[in-house]
Amino acid sequence: GVTRVGEPVKVRKKGVSSRYQRIATLFEKHNSAVPMSAWFPSRARKDTIDPVLRILNDLLVNRKLKFVLSKGGSELVYQQGKFEFPIASLSGGYRSLFTWVGDLIYHLHEVSRSGNSIEDLKGIVLVDEIDLHIHPEWQIDLMETISKTFKNLQFIFSTHSPILAGTVDSKSLIVAEYDEEKQSSKASHFTHDIYGLNANQILLSSYFGLRSTRARGQIDELHRLAMRVWDHDPNAAIEFFQAMSGSNRDKSNNQNNE
C-alpha cells in the first residue's frame, strides 16, 4: 500500500474491524503493514510454518538466499551459505516486496482455519506501486513469480514501470488518467498490445504517452540541428546523426579528458 514499511505494531487494533485493517495501508500513511516479526513464527499455527516459508522462498529471485527459522526457532532469518542474517539486513528491494507479502500472509493466516492451507485461500489483493525499490532485472519475472506463488489470488497492481507493463497481456492493463473536463480520474482500456516490447517502446506508446525518453537538453539540440539541416547546412546532417548515436558526446568527453 502507501506505507511500504513494516514498523513494530500491535497486530490487532482495538475498535478497528479486521476487514478494514487489511486495506488500511492503501489509504492511510500512519498505518503500517504488519511485519513478519510481529507474529511469525511466535503466533503462527504449527501447520502454517512450512507453507509460509515455502511462499517466501518461492518469491526469492536470488536462489543463493533462503528463508529459514533461526537455530532457536524463534525468529525468521535468511540464510546465505552457512550464515544466518536478520531480515532487516536485506536490500531495499527485498524488504519492500516482503513487507507487503508478509502483511498479506498475516491476513491469510488470520482468516484461515486450522487444517486449511493458506495457499488454498482465494481473494483479491490490491498493491500500490508494486515496482517500488524493485531492481529492473527482477521486474521482468516479478508478475509471473507472484502469480505462480499465489495461484488462487487475483492481484490488482498499480505501477509506473514500463518493464512490468510489458510483461502482461493488454487485456490485463488499465490506464488511469486525469480527465480535465470532468476534473476527475478515469480508467481507460487500450486495445493495442505492448507485451514483449522493450521499455523505451512502451514509454513512447499511448500507455505512457512520452514524446521522447531523451534528456530535454538533447531534444533541444536535435531540434536545433534538424533546423540547420532544413536550412541546407552541409555539416548539420552529420552532426545530427552523431548526436542521435551519442558519438558527439563521446568525442567531447575525450577532448575534455585530454
Side-chain angles (χ1 to χ4, degrees):
V2 173
T3 306
R4 195 61 57 80
V5 178
E7 299 290 349
V9 295
K10 294 181 180 179
V11 292
R12 283 201 178 277
K13 299 177 180 179
K14 293 182 179 180
V16 180
S17 71
S18 58
R19 286 189 174 186
Y20 179 72
Q21 287 187 51
R22 294 173 203 157
I23 61 171
T25 59
L26 283 169
F27 308 106
E28 298 180 3
K29 291 184 179 181
H30 66 272
N31 274 295
S32 59
V34 177
M36 294 292 294
S37 59
W39 69 278
F40 187 83
S42 60
R43 294 184 65 252
R45 298 195 312 270
K46 290 184 178 180
D47 64 317
T48 63
I49 299 293
D50 288 339
V52 169
L53 290 174
R54 183 164 54 248
I55 289 171
L56 294 176
N57 285 312
D58 284 346
L59 290 170
L60 279 172
V61 67
N62 184 351
R63 295 303 174 183
K64 294 180 180 179
L65 304 181
K66 184 180 181 180
F67 286 106
V68 297
L69 295 184
S70 60
K71 292 179 180 180
S74 61
E75 182 183 3
L76 176 67
V77 296
Y78 71 93
Q79 193 176 63
Q80 188 167 13
K82 298 180 180 180
F83 302 98
E84 294 180 355
F85 301 91
I87 301 301
S89 65
L90 284 168
S91 68
Y94 274 118
R95 284 187 282 112
S96 175
L97 175 66
F98 288 110
T99 293
W100 73 258
V101 167
D103 186 71
L104 169 61
I105 295 174
Y106 164 72
H107 289 292
L108 291 175
H109 175 273
E110 290 299 290
V111 299
S112 67
R113 297 179 179 179
S114 180
N116 294 333
S117 174
I118 61 175
E119 296 170 296
D120 295 332
L121 291 176
K122 298 180 180 180
I124 299 175
V125 182
L126 308 178
V127 183
D128 188 27
E129 301 290 357
I130 180 64
D131 54 297
L132 192 65
H133 304 307
I134 303 297
H135 191 281
E137 184 178 5
W138 195 3
Q139 292 183 30
I140 295 174
D141 301 310
L142 184 59
M143 296 301 211
E144 184 178 1
T145 300
I146 292 174
S147 64
K148 286 182 177 179
T149 302
F150 298 100
K151 297 182 178 65
N152 294 310
L153 297 178
Q154 178 184 354
F155 287 89
I156 300 175
F157 298 121
S158 72
T159 181
H160 288 91
S161 168
I163 297 176
L164 287 178
T167 62
V168 296
D169 188 272
S170 61
K171 294 179 181 178
S172 299
L173 292 175
I174 295 176
V175 179
E177 299 177 293
Y178 184 74
D179 191 319
E180 293 287 351
E181 183 177 341
K182 296 182 179 180
Q183 295 188 349
S184 63
S185 297
K186 66 176 182 179
S188 302
H189 183 79
F190 298 159
T191 56
H192 61 277
D193 196 2
I194 58 173
Y195 177 80
L197 298 183
N198 62 45
N200 196 63
Q201 291 172 313
I202 295 171
L203 287 171
L204 296 176
S205 72
S206 58
Y207 283 85
F208 285 83
L210 296 186
R211 294 180 60 189
S212 174
T213 58
R214 296 178 182 273
R216 294 196 184 278
Q218 183 72 349
I219 295 174
D220 293 339
E221 175 66 9
L222 290 172
H223 179 74
R224 184 182 66 80
L225 290 171
M227 292 298 98
R228 285 175 54 195
V229 172
W230 185 262
D231 291 334
H232 307 290
D233 186 325
N235 299 318
I238 296 176
E239 292 180 34
F240 181 86
F241 285 111
Q242 287 177 337
M244 286 284 290
S245 65
S247 59
N248 62 333
R249 293 185 63 84
D250 293 338
K251 182 178 180 181
S252 176
N253 290 334
N254 291 333
Q255 290 176 346
N256 292 333
N257 291 333
E258 293 175 358

